[in-house]
Amino acid sequence: MGRKGKKSKKQLEEELAKAADEQKRHEEKERLYQMEQDVLRKQAERLAEELDSKEKVLEVERLDEEQSIVTRMKTERKQNLEYEQSKLQERIKWQKFVACSPRPNVAFESEITTYMTMLQEERSDKMEDAMRKCEESEGIVEDLQELFCRAQEEGDVARQEWCKKYIREIRDLEIAKIDEATGYLLQYIERQEANTQSQVNLPFGQQDDDVKVGFWGHLQSKGFRAKQIDFPRIGIGLEMPKSIALQAMGHSIGVRALYTSYDSSNDKDPSEMSIGGMIRVDLLSIPPFSKKVKGWTIRQVPPPGEELVRLPYPNHEHATTAAITVQPCKIEYKVSSRVLVGKAPTISWWDPQEERWSQEGITEISWETETRKVSFWSARLAAFSITQRRYLDLPYKHWSMRPLAPLLVDLHIQAARYELHFVISEDGLRLKGPDEPELHDVMFATPEDSHRPDANGTVLESTINYGHSTRVTRVRSPAALLKELRDCGLNLMPTDQDAEYLDGYTPKCSETEARAYSDLSEIAGFYDITSSIHNKNLPPERAMVRVRENPLCEEFDPLDPDCDTDYQAILFFPDKSCFVKSFEEKNPCDESLLPGHYTHASLYLCYDKVPKPGPTHADDLQRLEVTCATARFVEAVRQTMQIMRLLSFV
């Protein structure tokens, strides 16, 4: 067998050159193929852009054409609503006229300012007179709050600020009247009956009053010891340490506890809110007593504005303060039975310099559930209140809405703390649950309330058996009822600021929200409407809900995965809406349009322009139209969704 010969140098060079040529031909072929693919891709992109541009032009033209239809329909809806509301307002005005109320009409600014001027000029020397004027003023505040609620339902921000301004000014006048009466009481304190220890104890008001005052005075400049002060008639108790006298040396000491069912913070703190009213505890200096000289009574009259001298505690300006250990004061008061209080409430004092609630120096907070008394120790005297986070009940975990009967809708919301049930009707909003004792005054009313004129339309809807008694359910306008819930400590009226404290939440665009609430309210009487888990992750300009037709008012579980395909996802934009392919069980969210569907200027037109309308299509569209018979119901649904911000905080 012969030995294989070795390749020569020439053969190797030829093979190498052949391989190089082959590589060049392959690379050239690959380059030409890549160029061809790039050309095809660019051509496809150009065609897609042209098609997309054409579709966008067609969409703009379609939306512009439909806008006139939407404007006409919304105008008719507004006119129908105004007509129905005018009839309701005439009835309310007549009820007020028959009631002959002496209160000024808060719709006219001149009447409010005239009342405030008269209140300011009229002296209140007696505490009982001052408290009576506070009660009268609170009636006007109640009227202003009703006006505020209507402005909130209509989205009139300027009117809301106008109402808040006069509410704040009137309540400042109320406190000024109490101060005026307190100043007079101090000036003539010797007229009050004192005990054997030269002490005066004067309660004013009752436990359930909106304004109540307790005053205690030590009519000597010396001899003050640690003192427990009780005002059982008004449900307030204080325990003053000896260090108070050491920090107010040379003064006869008076202590005033002023409770109001409202607070003076005026919602300035963006993260905390007050519940259960505010108690202001002031350390006062009792002026020198009058003297009798040769048949004359000589009394030192303080300059105007200095009748009431408040002594700070702790007194950082006192010369001997550094050597004195400041001891805390104990404060106890009864909380209204209408306020939801947790097992471990937070007590704060209002810092007027920082305009925030602060918990600094407050210790040993105790809450007695049965007696509804809260007590705590504080290293300072100030204005105190139970506080909680504004966003305590946010975000909503999920919500759903379903028709119960003609012009009647059930709204279920799973909030952070409570599971809530509401019923929306043409008369307004009714709270159905949770069945908490603190909320019974919001849920139920007495039959006598039906005769009380109320601009917010308090309506007695029906009677139900509750335990061994019959209770009358209570319906109010959405803003009025939700404000009552907020006063109870259940805040379902979020603002954009609340989203700053919630992880991963961004408020939806106001135009998108307004369009969605307006369109959804028109179908709420015939469709189940529920939240979508994809809504939170969408940009602020887009919002998503799911709907399911429910003409027989049946009850379905929107959270049941087996029912996912029964619901249709709707995507809202600032200027349009559309049906999309999204499902709860599929991630990521599919925002592509359903086959054959297009975006439209309103949800009504989305139903009108379906590719394959059914035999009852005309009838289905007709029932979605807003008429005089349905205008108030549709508006009640819209207002409820708008005020609760159901799309921004779920």
Side-chain angles (χ1 to χ4, degrees), residues 480-603:
L481 186 132
L482 292 173
K483 184 189 177 302
E484 288 186 6
L485 282 179
R486 188 183 186 279
D487 292 340
C488 293
L490 189 57
N491 185 20
L492 302 178
M493 306 171 74
T495 63
D496 287 353
Q497 284 183 321
D498 295 324
E500 298 175 7
Y501 302 94
L502 301 174
D503 186 28
Y505 283 86
T506 303
K508 296 297 180 183
C509 168
S510 58
E511 290 82 3
T512 300
E513 276 195 290
R515 170 171 295 277
Y517 300 143
S518 178
D519 287 357
L520 291 171
S521 64
E522 296 175 359
I523 71 168
F526 308 97
Y527 285 79
D528 289 355
I529 306 171
T530 185
S531 57
S532 170
I533 60 173
H534 299 303
N535 178 70
K536 175 185 174 182
N537 300 320
L538 294 175
E541 295 76 21
R542 299 201 289 272
M544 181 177 289
V545 298
R546 299 181 297 141
V547 301
R548 171 179 184 160
E549 190 173 10
N550 190 4
L552 300 179
C553 302
E554 298 174 286
E555 184 174 1
F556 302 100
D557 182 6
L559 302 180
D560 186 355
D562 295 334
C563 298
D564 192 14
T565 56
D566 297 334
Y567 289 83
Q568 174 59 59
I570 301 176
L571 192 61
F572 288 96
F573 299 81
D575 60 344
K576 60 188 178 182
S577 57
C578 57
F579 296 122
V580 294
K581 298 178 180 179
S582 173
F583 289 105
E584 298 294 278
E585 298 298 312
K586 293 184 179 180
N587 284 299
C589 175
D590 189 351
E591 299 180 40
S592 56
L593 295 172
L594 289 181
H597 287 257
Y598 299 95
T599 56
H600 294 284
S602 75
L603 183 57

Side-chain angles (χ1 to χ4, degrees), residues 30 58 70 114 212 268 297 322 600:
E30 185 67 27
L58 291 175
V70 174
T114 300
K212 48 192 179 184
K268 292 180 181 178
T297 300
H600 294 284

Side-chain angles (χ1 to χ4, degrees), residues 20-36:
D21 290 342
E22 187 67 28
Q23 181 67 25
K24 285 181 66 176
R25 282 196 300 272
H26 178 74
E27 290 178 355
E28 181 66 15
K29 183 178 179 181
E30 185 67 27
R31 186 182 68 82
L32 293 175
Y33 176 77
Q34 200 63 39
M35 287 179 60
E36 182 182 3

